[in-house]
Amino acid sequence: MFTDAIRALILGIVEGVTEFLPVSSTGHLLLVQHIFGLDESGFWKTFAVLIQLGAILAILLIYFQRLWRIALGMFSDPDARRFVIGVLVAFFPAALIGGLANSYIKLWLFNPWVVCFSLIVGGAVLLWVDQLDLKPTYHDATTFSLPMYLGIGIAQCAAMIPGTSRSGASIVAAMLFGADKRSAAEFSFFLAIPTMVGAFAYDFYKNRADMSTDHLTIIAIGFVVSFITAIIVVRTFLDFVTRHGFAFFAWWRVTVGTLGLIALALGK
């Protein structure tokens, strides 16, 4: 139990640090689980999904006033209503594909080789987009066009491949569609709310019969740690990317992916 608690603590930190960075939280969690020898454990695969809700609650806390105003104005303010519809439109493709292909994805794609290759390819794409001379036309994540919301949602589906990064895919798509770096990152936060809540509800319901008291305690540790860590990361991430862009995170992905491939090739 003590060893599992330490693992949950470490995995919670990894989740909180990486969930909203364009580096793939799922990919990093899978690599750490591989290091811990947890690759074949069905519980730890579910654990990686369930603790993401802790990071999502961090977003709800940080943006509570803004989200509350949108919720209150949903029936009286056309702009608020349009944004809510936009988030749902962006969420729909991932919900559809995730519901249909979840078992296949977990069976065939959740392995460290896929993660490492995806980290490297995604890092190269992120570096390319970051260096483009883009002329942003959107500076507020709540004012994107509906076709743009749909395009971002379709792009997010690429993150079904572990190591791709949900936030990375949505940020890249938003920037290519005309968003500046800050609003692209912020919309990835907002889109994470229904996406991750849906994934949490689906996995928890599907595996509820296998959850023991010890399992719930381990999940609670990872949940709380990811919540606290995510608050710290999100508060600094937006200012960082506004000033410095995404090159640091692109090279982070390439470095981790390359080191991972070397370790796998050596049989570590």
Side-chain angles (χ1 to χ4, degrees), residues 17-22 55-56 59 166-167 171 188-189 192 230 234 237:
V17 169
T18 59
E19 178 59 48
F20 299 109
L21 303 182
I56 295 305
I59 289 295
R166 181 203 55 76
S167 62
I171 287 171
S188 78
F189 298 164
V234 170
F237 175 57

Side-chain angles (χ1 to χ4, degrees), residues 22-191:
V23 297
S24 179
S25 61
T26 302
H28 280 71
L29 286 171
L30 286 172
L31 290 179
V32 175
Q33 287 174 340
H34 179 72
I35 292 172
F36 287 158
L38 304 175
D39 304 66
E40 304 303 321
S41 171
F43 164 72
W44 287 102
K45 289 180 180 179
T46 299
F47 171 90
V49 175
L50 298 184
I51 65 170
Q52 290 175 336
L53 188 62
I56 295 305
L57 287 181
I59 289 295
L60 291 175
L61 177 65
I62 292 170
Y63 286 97
F64 177 78
Q65 290 185 336
R66 189 172 177 182
L67 293 171
W68 184 246
R69 285 196 300 270
I70 290 171
L72 290 178
M74 193 166 52
F75 300 104
S76 58
D77 181 355
D79 292 334
R81 183 163 55 249
R82 183 176 159 283
F83 174 64
V84 172
I85 293 172
V87 172
L88 294 177
V89 166
F91 164 67
F92 178 73
L96 179 63
I97 295 177
L100 293 175
N102 182 67
S103 298
Y104 172 84
I105 291 168
K106 282 193 171 182
L107 179 62
W108 296 105
L109 298 182
F110 271 48
N111 73 74
W113 288 95
V114 171
V115 168
C116 291
F117 279 114
S118 298
L119 284 171
I120 294 170
V121 172
V125 172
L126 188 61
L127 189 62
W128 168 67
V129 172
D130 190 60
Q131 293 178 343
L132 291 177
D133 185 22
L134 300 173
K135 307 296 182 185
T137 55
Y138 294 96
H139 305 279
D140 183 342
T142 65
T143 63
F144 297 170
S145 67
L146 289 179
M148 183 171 171
Y149 287 127
L150 178 60
I152 294 170
I154 293 172
Q156 182 187 225
C157 293
M160 299 290 178
I161 303 172
T164 301
S165 173
R166 181 203 55 76
S167 62
S170 59
I171 287 171
V172 164
M175 289 175 61
L176 290 176
F177 287 140
D180 65 10
K181 293 173 181 177
R182 188 180 186 92
S183 64
E186 281 198 322
F187 185 69
S188 78
F189 298 164
F190 298 139
L191 182 55

Side-chain angles (χ1 to χ4, degrees), residues 7 11 22 31 33 48 80 99 102 133 141 145 155 192 194 205 211-212 246:
R7 289 170 175 166
L11 290 169
L31 290 179
Q33 287 174 340
N102 182 67
D133 185 22
S145 67
Y205 178 79
M211 294 294 170
S212 66
F246 296 100

Side-chain angles (χ1 to χ4, degrees), residues 46 50 197-211:
T46 299
L50 298 184
V197 169
F200 174 91
Y202 180 85
D203 259 71
F204 187 81
Y205 178 79
K206 187 176 179 180
N207 297 283
R208 67 192 186 285
D210 299 324
M211 294 294 170

Side-chain angles (χ1 to χ4, degrees), residues 192-235:
I193 296 172
T195 303
M196 293 296 97
V197 169
F200 174 91
Y202 180 85
D203 259 71
F204 187 81
Y205 178 79
K206 187 176 179 180
N207 297 283
R208 67 192 186 285
D210 299 324
M211 294 294 170
S212 66
T213 302
D214 286 345
H215 284 159
L216 293 177
T217 301
I218 296 302
I219 291 170
I221 293 172
F223 182 95
V224 172
V225 172
S226 71
F227 169 74
I228 295 171
T229 310
I231 289 177
I232 298 170
V233 171
V234 170
R235 289 189 181 280

